[in-house]
Amino acid sequence: MPKLKVDGIEVEVPAGATVLQACEIAGKEIPRFCYHERLSIAGNCRMCLVEVKPGPPKPQASCALPAADNQEVFTTTPMVKNAREGIMEFLLINHPLDCPICDQGGECDLQDQSIAYGRGHSRYDENKRAVTEKYMGPIVKTVMTRCIQCTRCIRFAEEVAGVEEIGAIYRGENMQITSYLEEAVTSELSGNVVDLCPVGALTSKPYAFEARPWELKKTLTIDVMDGVGTNIRLDSRGRQVLRCVPRINDDVNEEWAHDKTRHAIDGLVRRRLDKPYVRKGGKLVAATWDEAFDAIVAADHGKVAVIAGDTVDCETMFAAKALAVQFGTPVLEGRQTGMDYDTSSLAAVNFNTTIAGAERADAILLVGTNLRWEAPLVNTRIRKAIKKGAKVFAIGAETELTYKVEWLGDDLSVLGNLPEAVTEAFGKAERPMVIVGGAAMKGAHGAALALASSLNLVRDGWNGFNVVHMVAARMGGLMLGYAAKGGIADAHDATVAYFLGADECDFAKFAGFKVYVGHHGDRGAAHADVVLPGASYAEKSGTFVNIEGRVQRGERAVFPPGDAREDWTIFRALSERLGKTLPFDTLGELRAAMALDCPDLAEPGLKTFAWNPPSLDTAASGRIEGYPIKDFYLTNAICRASPTMQRCSTELVHGEAFAEAAE
């Protein structure tokens, strides 16, 4: 490990580290525009100049200079100061003076660094260049005159997203960053280039001109658009969430978020349920809470079922379960669409390798999963594994996953007789991994579990068997017992069925009294006999468990609209009217009761499940001709209410073009 001095401070850095990283270890701030910790080194902005001895008597780019023994690095000498001032002057030569109307204002690297490291005046009096705007789709707004050619967006598209649709054209002063053919960027991760852009060249199109950062209240919470559990920050003003950005968590989402996470938030204020409804004469009629509760009390609670939706929190599921069990043995189910698989062992339905651990795998078999849509931020980890030499095989309908895959066909029977290339690759692998998706869980769960022994997936310090769930509520629901033996079919004959934001069911099969507790007037509300307005994930504090069994908690950003209430409080009030009063009055008391029922939910953190897979039928048959997610941008009620997600679906999934008005 090299040892060097930075401004007289001796530091020791890992082999392969750069001088810039050594400076950061020494506590010295080095300005940069092109350098980013998760992207390859470009070395083209030159803002990170330092003086290094021994070496030529000139400033050197610290991001591209390897740290070595006996180096002396100086970050504040007159040479470095003058060099940085000169670089900043060059960067500002063509940059427009439009900070007052730029959405990056207030959180702009160029603003901050020009104040800290630039001159107080400009010596350039020629005309500034202008660049025509580029079209990158419904997510990213471009003002390319502001671009300083740091190439972060290009490197992200190629290295992380795996969609090589952004690049540079022309040379020198005429260089421009654009999407090829100036068409929409098709990556579901495209919104991340807005965070990466150090200036205002790439900004959020849905958020344009909405607010300034100092106006916003920032709330830390958890995303519910898929099962990964992306750590996010909701920025709100008043009673509306205006922006969603990712938080750094290297174990889960690194610092990325997919476009659905970022931009489905405009659906939080549309099609909302803000008052109770009761069905009278075949039509839903607005009612008071008392009238709605009276209608529920009058219903026959002989057989009670509770159906959990895709975005519901653990507190809501526990409160509903606590009420339902007082009427006997309820049917609890969270797999709305009819999926049915053995849940007797949580390890057999968990992502055991962990999300971060997936990038260490060296042989990977995907079974019935379109990871790019089902878990985009797990897909980026697979790309990392491939860069380290991993081989990827897949069973299912061929689709573009952004990396090289050897497809083995779409017949599940292949699991019982894997090709020699697969067994050879897994035989040599130190960290083999199998990922089973929703398209294979019903017909091939047992066959996939059998691979754990035949391919030696489970060994000391490594468990390579993984199931990828597509929704935020699935793992938390399984831990709370939301998995009926016969699947959702067991609930079809219930006399009262409570739907917790469940909108994907086949409601025609439920003959009993239907109570919908949710936040959007979507499919579930349309079929209900009583509608009770609840709170979305942004409007309540909640516990969520991601696909790897990581318990995470989010905080409330805004209050629910109108007469809507937090879901667990609805069940607490309803229990009193039903004469079955629940034993908690506060969120803290509820969580304490939930911890007694399910100790794994007591505290946040990664939970590990003992490997004790059930003995299932190892035969697998049937074809995987498609995957459960048909439209990435419209997977739940919030997305379907979002104009941005509707446009993304129309343009990026269905290929319809939009005419852009001149600005």
Side-chain angles (χ1 to χ4, degrees):
M1 296 175 69
K3 291 184 179 180
L4 63 157
K5 287 186 177 180
V6 178
D7 290 341
I9 303 171
E10 187 172 292
V11 295
E12 186 174 4
V13 298
T18 63
V19 169
L20 187 151
Q21 291 169 318
C23 292
E24 290 187 332
I25 291 173
K28 302 295 181 179
E29 182 178 348
I30 304 296
R32 81 292 295 270
F33 290 113
C34 68
Y35 175 80
H36 191 276
E37 292 82 355
R38 303 187 195 278
L39 303 176
S40 61
I41 295 171
N44 55 4
C45 78
R46 319 308 290 180
M47 194 63 205
C48 63
L49 295 173
V50 296
E51 188 178 349
V52 182
K53 294 180 181 179
K58 64 177 184 179
Q60 299 189 61
S62 60
C63 72
L65 183 66
D69 282 321
N70 303 318
Q71 280 179 331
E72 287 191 75
V73 181
F74 303 93
T75 66
T76 57
T77 62
M79 177 194 291
V80 172
K81 183 176 183 294
N82 289 332
R84 289 175 180 170
E85 287 178 350
I87 293 297
M88 182 59 69
E89 200 170 7
F90 277 122
L91 288 174
L92 293 175
I93 278 176
N94 283 312
H95 198 80
L97 299 175
D98 59 358
C99 296
I101 62 162
C102 177
D103 273 311
Q104 200 80 346
E107 45 192 10
C108 174
D109 292 351
L110 190 62
Q111 280 183 333
D112 297 341
Q113 294 185 38
S114 64
I115 293 295
Y117 303 101
R119 298 180 187 272
H121 62 279
S122 173
R123 296 173 290 175
Y124 191 77
D125 58 7
E126 300 295 327
N127 291 329
K128 292 178 180 285
R129 76 164 189 166
V131 180
T132 56
E133 306 310 346
K134 306 297 187 285
Y135 182 67
M136 289 192 180
I139 297 297
V140 181
K141 177 186 176 183
T142 64
V143 185
M144 301 312 290
T145 300
R146 301 171 185 159
C147 179
I148 61 170
Q149 288 91 37
C150 71
T151 68
R152 281 185 180 181
C153 54
I154 297 174
R155 285 176 283 147
F156 173 82
E158 292 181 356
E159 298 166 14
V160 180
V163 178
E164 299 182 4
E165 295 179 352
I166 303 177
I169 57 175
Y170 312 134
R171 301 179 65 188
E173 187 186 39
N174 295 321
M175 178 180 172
Q176 298 180 22
I177 307 296
T178 180
S179 58
Y180 296 129
L181 305 179
E182 295 192 25
E183 292 184 351
V185 177
T186 59
S187 172
E188 62 286 342
L189 300 170
S190 65
N192 290 291
V193 300
V194 172
D195 289 347
L196 288 171
C197 184
V199 296
L202 304 176
T203 56
S204 169
K205 188 174 284 187
Y207 177 68
F209 308 125
E210 287 287 340
R212 288 299 194 185
W214 54 84
E215 299 178 283
L216 302 174
K217 184 185 77 170
K218 299 171 174 59
T219 306
L220 309 184
T221 189
I222 305 300
D223 174 53
V224 298
M225 295 297 150
D226 61 15
V228 172
T230 300
N231 289 214
I232 58 173
R233 190 189 79 213
L234 295 179
D235 293 350
S236 57
R237 184 178 60 194
R239 299 190 67 165
Q240 183 174 351
V241 176
L242 295 178
R243 183 170 65 168
C244 174
V245 293
R247 292 185 283 136
I248 296 176
N249 187 328
D250 288 331
D251 293 327
V252 182
N253 58 294
E254 299 181 285
E255 61 186 81
W256 316 125
H258 57 70
D259 294 345
K260 198 162 49 172
T261 296
R262 289 176 180 273
H263 296 296
I265 55 166
D266 56 356
L268 291 174
V269 293
R270 293 171 170 84
R271 303 184 189 172
R272 288 303 302 269
L273 298 172
D274 59 358
K275 63 184 69 173
Y277 289 86
V278 175
R279 190 172 296 278
K280 296 179 180 179
K283 293 184 179 180
L284 286 173
V285 179
T288 65
W289 280 99
D290 283 337
E291 291 171 342
F293 283 174
D294 287 341
I296 297 172
V297 170
D300 175 15
H301 280 67
K303 180 180 180 181
V304 177
V306 183
I307 314 301
D310 293 347
T311 63
V312 69
D313 55 294
C314 291
E315 286 83 354
T316 299
M317 288 189 280
F318 174 73
K321 173 185 175 181
L323 176 60
V325 295
Q326 298 194 52
F327 290 98
T329 305
V331 177
L332 306 176
E333 184 54 76
R335 298 165 293 182
Q336 304 180 60
T337 55
M339 294 177 70
D340 180 18
Y341 45 82
D342 192 290
T343 60
S344 58
S345 167
L346 287 178
V349 292
N350 186 49
F351 202 93
N352 298 291
T353 303
T354 73
I355 295 171
E359 61 188 58
R360 298 171 51 224
D362 48 10
I364 302 168
L365 174 62
L366 307 178
V367 184
T369 176
N370 176 7
L371 268 186
R372 183 174 174 183
W373 278 9
E374 294 172 11
L377 296 179
V378 175
N379 207 46
T380 62
R381 304 282 188 165
I382 303 300
R383 285 184 53 79
K384 280 189 174 184
I386 291 173
K387 289 178 183 178
K388 297 173 185 175
K391 291 184 177 180
V392 181
F393 305 91
I395 299 173
E398 292 192 22
T399 186
E400 175 52 56
L401 294 174
T402 73
Y403 43 80
K404 185 178 179 181
V405 178
E406 185 174 329
W407 292 93
L408 307 178
D410 60 2
D411 194 333
L412 286 170
S413 62
V414 174
L415 285 171
N417 187 23
L418 291 171
E420 184 178 345
V422 179
T423 55
E424 183 179 343
F426 273 76
K428 297 177 180 177
E430 294 181 7
R431 292 176 295 277
M433 183 169 73
V434 170
I435 300 179
V436 185
M441 281 298 287
K442 191 169 184 178
H445 191 195
L449 277 171
L451 298 178
S453 56
S454 64
L455 296 180
N456 194 20
L457 300 179
V458 182
R459 52 189 77 175
D460 287 342
W462 180 263
N463 187 332
F465 181 81
N466 303 285
V467 172
V468 59
H469 299 297
M470 297 163 282
V471 300
R474 186 59 46 80
M475 274 305 294
L478 294 179
M479 291 167 72
L480 286 168
Y482 276 75
K485 286 190 176 181
I488 200 169
D490 284 358
H492 288 162
D493 62 345
T495 56
V496 174
Y498 291 90
F499 296 89
L500 312 182
D503 293 290
E504 319 304 326
C505 305
D506 185 353
F507 293 95
K509 294 182 178 179
F510 289 85
F513 191 83
K514 295 183 279 291
V515 180
Y516 181 81
V517 183
H519 41 78
H520 274 76
D522 204 81
R523 300 165 183 166
H527 289 84
D529 296 299
V530 173
V531 176
L532 303 178
S536 71
Y537 73 101
E539 297 151 6
K540 57 186 172 184
S541 298
T543 302
F544 299 93
V545 186
N546 75 351
I547 57 175
E548 60 183 351
R550 185 179 300 275
V551 178
Q552 303 182 108
R553 285 181 178 161
E555 300 300 323
R556 178 176 60 196
V558 294
F559 288 95
D563 291 335
R565 298 290 182 266
E566 292 186 40
D567 304 62
W568 75 265
T569 65
I570 294 174
F571 284 100
R572 171 60 180 81
L574 177 59
S575 70
E576 198 166 327
R577 292 292 300 276
L578 288 167
K580 309 282 187 180
T581 305
L582 295 177
F584 44 79
D585 295 317
T586 66
L587 182 62
E589 292 176 357
L590 183 152
R591 284 179 171 167
M594 184 169 68
L596 291 175
D597 183 71
C598 181
D600 283 333
L601 295 175
E603 294 293 336
L606 181 65
K607 311 303 175 185
T608 54
F609 306 111
W611 181 250
N612 54 345
S615 298
L616 304 177
D617 185 1
T618 59
S621 61
R623 309 187 76 84
I624 300 175
E625 298 175 353
Y627 300 102
I629 296 180
K630 306 301 181 185
D631 190 327
F632 173 74
Y633 298 99
L634 302 177
T635 52
N636 58 54
I638 300 174
C639 295
R640 289 190 286 268
S642 164
T644 304
M645 292 298 98
Q646 290 173 11
R647 173 159 177 175
C648 287
S649 171
T650 302
E651 186 168 356
L652 303 178
V653 177
H654 301 289
E656 296 184 24
F658 278 82
E660 285 288 299
E663 295 185 2

